[in-house]
Amino acid sequence: ISLWFFNPHCDQEILRGKPGFMPSAPAQKMNLDLEATPTFLAKKTDLVLLTHKPSIEWIESLHAAGVETPHFCEFSSGHIETAVQSKKITGIEPWGWSPTASEIFQPFLQRLVTADGGNSEFARDALSTLLFTTDGIGQIFSKAWSVEFLNSWLIRHPEASIFFGNLQDTGAVQTEWATIVQALNEILSRHPQAMLKAPYGTSGMQVKSVSHTSALDGPIGGWIKRILKNQKAIIIEPYLNRVADLSLQFMIKKKETQVLEARQFFTGPFHEYQGTLLGPKFFKLSPEQLKFFHSALPPWKQFVRELAQKLRELGYEGPAGVDAFLWKSSTGELRLKPLVELNPRWTMGRVALELESHLAPGISGAWAFLPLRSLPTLGYTDVPTFIHKMKSLYPIRTTSAGGGQRIQSGVLFTNDPLQARSVLTLLVTFPNPELLLTWQGPRPSI
């Protein structure tokens, strides 16, 4: 079996350099709501470790929709090894490797065995030799590392500028206050806004926008100085006219890279993940945008393969994803920024692809994150009422396809709705209420 564990703040754990990172109270609620997310990545023989088992009712709802589920096991911190009875562990799959993940799974180092489909060889290295800190392999979690890789790649491939734009469109890493001011002045002379990003920050956290350098005299200036003190650098990028967010998932193996399909995703006003469109049609893109996207896709995939090779050389193997976006220049040309953020771990985009595999052929849909606080806006007074309404209006209907049952229509709750404290996640087939996907409003980030 492989062991799965959801630790979405792995980048902050890496920044801390040792176990013990404590997310905010809202983030802890979100984590509990999402801790069963590896359900859709794991095999039915695998074990998902969590603090609270999901209800039998939710598990049965997944089975009725044709989704096979792994085993679930509750554990208390520091006693994870007593929760796992199997002596043969073929893989260890935290959401992301970090000092915390290494500590949690250290007791299983001697129980790892090699088997097809498991990552035991890499897990053994991760638990014994690889250093997931900012001065070790953990550097690949840094946005600064990504920016520098992208810039060096563009220098080596000037022919790609027709698809990806020029160096002045990508931004740069700054480490000194004086160069930050200079870089901001240069960007703001060409663009209405600049984006400031901390090297380590999860899902839109630690991102600021600036329209004038006078902002440095206020709270943003203090924020920059704290980031420089704690993380030694900051990324400054031009604000580009974003048209559509895209993600591309890939799997880095010892001798090859498997590049999966690109999908369009959505974020909220604080850059937080809100959901992914499922299906290959990209029906949210205009014909012009779709034509450009298909022309840019082959060089984008080649870029990702070279990125994967670099990660492999540094010692990383496993899942990864890149966030990107289509944007339009001031003169109207479309471009693709091929690397906005690198996630060398499991991602929500990868989960979305796995959920897509449960849709019947030809069916489009979305995987949507719906904050509980938004239910009154949608006309629902409480969660049970919303659950009842969704199940009555949009019951799951399946059809036989691909040797099993696939979802033809309906809404499927992909976390346990009655245990939710902060957010509901739903697999929605179209035509169904797209407001579940496009709801805009504040919520804790993951």
Side-chain angles (χ1 to χ4, degrees):
I1 66 171
S2 288
L3 305 181
W4 295 78
F5 178 70
F6 186 67
N7 61 319
H9 296 281
C10 47
D11 60 340
Q12 293 295 322
E13 296 165 3
I14 287 170
L15 178 61
R16 189 173 190 269
K18 57 183 178 180
F21 172 76
M22 183 63 67
S24 66
Q28 289 182 53
K29 288 183 179 180
M30 178 80 81
N31 294 353
L32 289 172
D33 287 347
L34 299 177
E35 68 173 350
T37 300
T39 295
F40 307 103
L41 300 168
K43 300 186 293 292
K44 65 179 181 179
T45 55
D46 290 347
L47 192 62
V48 176
L49 301 161
L50 29 66
T51 55
H52 299 283
K53 277 188 180 181
S55 66
I56 295 298
E57 291 78 9
W58 179 67
I59 295 172
E60 289 177 345
S61 73
L62 297 182
H63 293 169
V67 179
E68 292 183 331
T69 57
H71 303 285
F72 298 99
C73 184
E74 289 185 356
F75 74 95
S76 59
S77 180
H79 297 87
I80 191 170
E81 65 273 21
T82 61
V84 181
Q85 300 302 317
S86 173
K87 294 183 179 180
K88 294 184 178 180
I89 307 299
T90 58
I92 292 176
E93 298 283 4
W95 188 253
W97 284 97
S98 68
T100 301
S102 296
E103 180 185 62
I104 287 174
F105 290 108
Q106 194 66 39
F108 300 101
L109 176 59
Q110 302 305 320
R111 293 167 61 182
L112 283 165
V113 297
T114 302
D116 291 341
N119 71 342
S120 58
E121 186 174 347
F122 177 75
R124 192 176 291 110
D125 288 341
L127 292 175
S128 57
T129 60
L130 293 182
L131 188 64
F132 278 90
T133 58
T134 55
D135 56 351
I137 198 173
Q139 66 181 300
I140 64 177
F141 283 77
S142 168
K143 295 178 182 65
W145 188 93
S146 299
V147 169
E148 291 174 342
F149 176 87
L150 174 58
N151 287 342
S152 65
W153 191 92
L154 289 173
I155 290 171
R156 296 194 307 274
H157 298 274
E159 74 283 357
S161 62
I162 190 173
F163 299 110
F164 301 151
N166 301 308
L167 281 174
Q168 65 180 11
D169 302 319
T170 62
V173 179
Q174 305 294 339
T175 58
E176 302 289 340
W177 181 263
T179 58
I180 288 172
V181 175
Q182 181 181 351
L184 273 178
N185 277 321
E186 196 278 328
I187 288 175
L188 293 175
S189 69
R190 296 181 289 106
H191 297 272
Q193 285 183 298
M195 304 298 292
L196 307 175
K197 298 179 179 179
Y200 291 88
T202 304
S203 187
M205 296 177 67
Q206 305 289 358
V207 178
K208 309 288 183 183
S209 62
V210 173
S211 56
H212 197 278
T213 53
S214 61
L216 300 184
D217 297 328
I220 286 181
W223 175 80
I224 293 172
K225 291 174 181 177
R226 288 193 298 274
I227 296 301
L228 287 177
K229 179 181 178 181
N230 296 328
Q231 303 192 30
K232 312 305 180 186
I234 199 160
I235 298 99
I236 303 182
E237 302 174 353
Y239 179 85
L240 302 174
N241 183 15
R242 185 181 306 219
V243 173
D245 287 301
L246 301 165
S247 70
L248 191 59
Q249 310 301 316
F250 53 107
M251 178 67 76
I252 304 169
K253 301 179 181 180
K254 184 170 290 293
K255 295 183 179 180
E256 64 176 350
T257 298
Q258 179 187 15
V259 180
L260 305 177
E261 294 301 314
R263 290 292 179 263
Q264 185 176 358
F265 71 97
F266 290 84
T267 58
F270 302 101
H271 311 283
E272 75 278 17
Y273 178 80
Q274 289 193 319
T276 296
L277 287 177
L278 307 180
K281 294 182 179 180
F282 290 92
F283 54 86
K284 287 289 187 179
L285 300 183
S286 70
E288 175 196 15
Q289 294 163 0
L290 194 58
K291 181 179 179 181
F292 174 80
F293 166 71
H294 284 306
S295 68
L297 187 57
W300 188 23
K301 286 189 174 182
Q302 181 57 37
F303 168 83
V304 165
R305 289 189 182 94
E306 293 185 31
L307 171 62
Q309 177 59 30
K310 182 62 177 179
L311 297 178
R312 185 184 293 109
E313 291 170 359
L314 290 172
Y316 180 74
E317 295 176 27
V322 293
D323 293 342
F325 61 72
L326 289 180
W327 60 281
K328 184 173 286 190
S329 72
S330 58
T331 53
E333 292 96 350
L334 284 168
R335 295 289 184 266
L336 171 67
K337 188 166 185 178
L339 177 55
V340 177
E341 185 167 324
L342 165 68
N343 295 303
R345 54 172 172 77
W346 294 104
T347 67
M348 294 303 173
R350 180 59 181 271
V351 175
L353 284 179
E354 295 301 323
L355 287 169
E356 182 182 298
S357 70
H358 293 288
L359 298 180
I363 299 299
S364 296
W367 188 40
F369 278 42
L370 184 66
L372 297 186
R373 67 174 67 181
S374 71
L375 291 182
T377 306
L378 302 178
Y380 299 97
T381 57
D382 54 49
V383 174
T385 302
F386 177 73
I387 296 171
H388 175 75
K389 195 71 170 180
M390 289 298 102
K391 289 184 175 180
S392 60
L393 286 177
Y394 309 107
I396 289 292
R397 293 186 172 90
T398 63
T399 185
S400 296
Q405 292 298 304
R406 301 284 186 85
I407 298 171
Q408 187 76 32
S409 64
V411 172
L412 177 68
F413 289 91
T414 51
N415 66 341
D416 194 336
L418 289 178
Q419 292 186 14
R421 304 157 181 82
S422 176
V423 66
L424 296 171
T425 66
L426 308 98
L427 176 60
V428 181
T429 61
F430 293 153
N432 270 333
E434 293 189 43
L435 56 85
L436 292 177
L437 182 70
T438 58
W439 181 89
Q440 298 289 306
R443 81 184 71 161
S445 185
I446 61 169

